[in-house]
Amino acid sequence: MGNENTSYMGPSYYPQGVIQSVVQQSSLQNQLSIRLNKPDYFKGDYVEGSIILNSPGSVVLNDIHLNLFLSENWNYIENNQPQSELNNQMLLTIKIGIQKILKINSDLINLNPGAFNFPFKFKLPDYLQPSFEYPKDNQRGFLRYVLQAKIISNFVRGETSVLIFIKSRPIILNCPLSFSSAINVHKWGMFDEGSTILKVSYLTSNYQIRSQIPFSVEINNTRGKLQVKSVIAKIIRRVQFRNVREATVRYTLQSILVNKEFAVNVPPNTQSQVYNYNIELKD
């Protein structure tokens, strides 16, 4: 299906604002569309589809090109100051080659009124990061891939674009299923009130959004001089951003998904007591 006449163009920086659905001054602004064989892909997948041109009259053109763009927009807080970054890059240019499809040996193609279907197939680069949307208060960002079809002609202009969603392959985390920590207590920063050992255990390190997470808390207050009255459970989402081809972290966004307090009653100098709880992993 189609061809794979692909010319690697980058990534090269492209002027901001170039990605838009249709060029408004184009006489074919509502006549060009892109159809994909599926809504999402993994990096390295082949993308197949068609460019549909509905020509209301005769059209003279040289070719149609597909351009794959990376569009990034990040708003975050750094050193208590709001920061914003916008980056658009053109990653690929794919020449459709309509002369070959229509079997016409000419640089200029004169299309009569009607509907035309131009198939294409190309391979996504292996280095692409998954598509990403992060809407959270004043820390927002997205990483999107835009596929643009553009008519190449000196006589008529036309562009249209669709989003391509790049999926992330499942990650299996092999994290420890328990951890413990000794908490040293000092009253007013001066008087030693002993220490309490807290051990947390759970069943697995992989959970889905809106699932229940059962866990147990073991409190050893043998060397503690104060009563333990509550345990606070938090789930913190930490998102690190990197350039598409770089391994270094550019910045980190952090938000608290769960913050729940549980009442306990562990007197001073008390041996281990175990409490079992459930919390919901919220989006």
Side-chain angles (χ1 to χ4, degrees):
M1 178 178 177
N3 57 44
E4 295 183 47
N5 185 11
T6 303
S7 175
Y8 182 68
M9 299 293 291
S12 59
Y13 288 93
Y14 212 76
Q16 297 180 3
V18 70
I19 299 176
Q20 53 187 342
S21 294
V22 177
V23 176
Q24 296 302 314
Q25 65 267 31
S26 170
S27 62
L28 294 176
Q29 68 175 43
N30 296 318
Q31 313 303 324
L32 197 64
S33 61
I34 300 174
R35 293 180 184 175
L36 300 176
N37 63 326
K38 57 182 182 179
D40 45 39
Y41 303 86
F42 291 113
K43 63 181 181 180
D45 279 356
Y46 280 92
V47 177
E48 297 185 41
S50 297
I51 299 172
I52 312 299
L53 174 61
N54 292 300
S55 177
S58 297
V59 177
V60 178
L61 66 158
N62 299 88
D63 203 352
I64 298 177
H65 288 182
L66 279 175
N67 299 314
L68 179 64
F69 292 95
L70 163 68
S71 180
E72 292 180 283
N73 191 350
W74 309 112
N75 297 278
Y76 57 98
I77 302 297
E78 187 175 66
N79 299 324
N80 296 321
Q81 296 294 323
Q83 307 290 333
S84 180
E85 292 189 26
L86 177 64
N87 177 29
N88 291 323
Q89 298 180 35
M90 186 165 66
L91 305 177
L92 289 175
T93 288
I94 300 97
K95 300 177 181 180
I96 299 301
I98 63 174
Q99 294 90 343
K100 184 177 180 180
I101 295 174
L102 298 175
K103 298 180 180 179
I104 298 176
N105 187 19
S106 175
D107 292 336
L108 287 179
I109 306 298
N110 190 348
L111 298 180
N112 294 322
F116 298 88
N117 185 322
F118 301 109
F120 61 82
K121 179 180 179 181
F122 68 93
K123 188 178 185 294
L124 291 170
D126 292 326
Y127 60 81
L128 297 185
Q129 299 296 320
S131 300
F132 188 81
E133 302 280 342
Y134 186 89
K136 184 66 176 178
D137 301 328
N138 57 354
Q139 298 187 117
R140 297 185 298 274
F142 62 77
L143 190 154
R144 299 170 181 164
Y145 296 94
V146 181
L147 185 63
Q148 176 200 66
K150 182 176 182 180
I151 290 177
I152 306 301
S153 173
N154 292 327
F155 305 95
V156 65
R157 297 183 64 189
E159 297 179 10
T160 189
S161 60
V162 296
L163 290 177
I164 288 185
F165 188 84
I166 307 299
K167 298 183 293 185
S168 175
R169 298 190 183 277
I171 300 175
I172 303 300
L173 301 176
N174 295 314
C175 300
L177 298 183
S178 66
F179 60 91
S180 60
S181 176
I183 303 171
N184 297 311
V185 181
H186 291 81
K187 184 182 291 185
W188 300 312
M190 299 172 56
F191 303 104
D192 186 2
E193 298 293 343
S195 63
T196 301
I197 297 177
L198 187 70
K199 182 179 180 181
V200 180
S201 303
Y202 41 94
L203 299 178
T204 177
S205 56
N206 295 275
Y207 294 92
Q208 294 182 345
I209 296 295
R210 293 181 292 278
S211 64
Q212 293 292 323
I213 301 178
F215 67 100
S216 64
V217 178
E218 181 181 344
I219 302 174
N220 186 335
N221 205 24
T222 305
R223 299 186 179 184
K225 300 178 182 180
L226 298 178
Q227 179 183 2
V228 180
K229 294 183 176 180
S230 67
V231 172
I232 299 176
K234 293 183 180 181
I235 297 179
I236 300 174
R237 174 169 58 189
R238 184 177 290 113
V239 181
Q240 295 180 329
F241 297 101
R242 297 175 172 87
N243 286 328
V244 171
R245 289 190 172 188
E246 293 182 5
T248 56
V249 177
R250 294 169 61 188
Y251 44 87
T252 300
L253 300 183
Q254 183 170 294
S255 59
I256 298 176
L257 301 181
V258 177
N259 186 1
K260 191 171 183 178
E261 184 174 3
F262 299 94
V264 299
N265 182 15
V266 183
N269 308 118
T270 303
Q271 292 184 353
S272 296
Q273 296 188 30
V274 178
Y275 297 84
N276 296 308
Y277 302 110
N278 272 286
I279 54 177
E280 182 183 2
L281 179 57
K282 298 181 179 179
D283 190 0

